[in-house]
Amino acid sequence: KYLELKKRRGGKKAVIAIARKLLTAIWHILSKNEVYSAKLYRKADKPPAARELTMTQAITFLRSKGFLILDEESGEVL
């Protein structure tokens, strides 16, 4: 998990993210007096299996990433 985060966020932020994840798990274990279950913490790591976007959402997402979207038929910028 650290290596995945390091690629996206950088080493220092990845260390903080992993430390926070561990601290959260420890806090829940101690406060609820329960046994550690790795399944509870892995569930949030996986992206949704099927993600659908509307055309407007897709265009907004691409614009936020710096893409310029052109309409092929009219040639205008969307």
Side-chain angles (χ1 to χ4, degrees):
K1 186 68 181 172
Y2 167 78
L3 294 176
E4 293 173 11
L5 286 172
K6 184 179 174 186
K7 287 179 190 175
R8 289 184 298 162
R9 303 278 185 192
K12 291 181 181 180
K13 288 186 179 181
V15 167
I16 297 299
I18 298 297
R20 181 167 189 245
K21 184 177 256 201
L22 289 170
L23 185 60
T24 302
I26 292 167
W27 185 84
H28 282 287
I29 290 167
L30 294 176
S31 67
K32 296 179 182 178
N33 199 20
E34 61 185 26
V35 180
Y36 174 73
S37 174
K39 291 179 186 177
L40 294 174
Y41 299 99
R42 288 190 189 141
K43 180 172 39 173
D45 291 343
K46 297 179 184 175
R51 182 175 179 188
E52 294 183 17
L53 297 174
T54 64
M55 184 66 74
T56 307
Q57 289 172 329
I59 290 171
T60 304
F61 175 75
L62 291 171
R63 277 191 192 145
S64 73
K65 299 298 179 188
F67 287 91
L68 182 65
I69 296 99
L70 298 174
D71 186 4
E72 289 181 351
E73 294 176 7
S74 65
E76 66 182 44
V77 177
L78 297 177

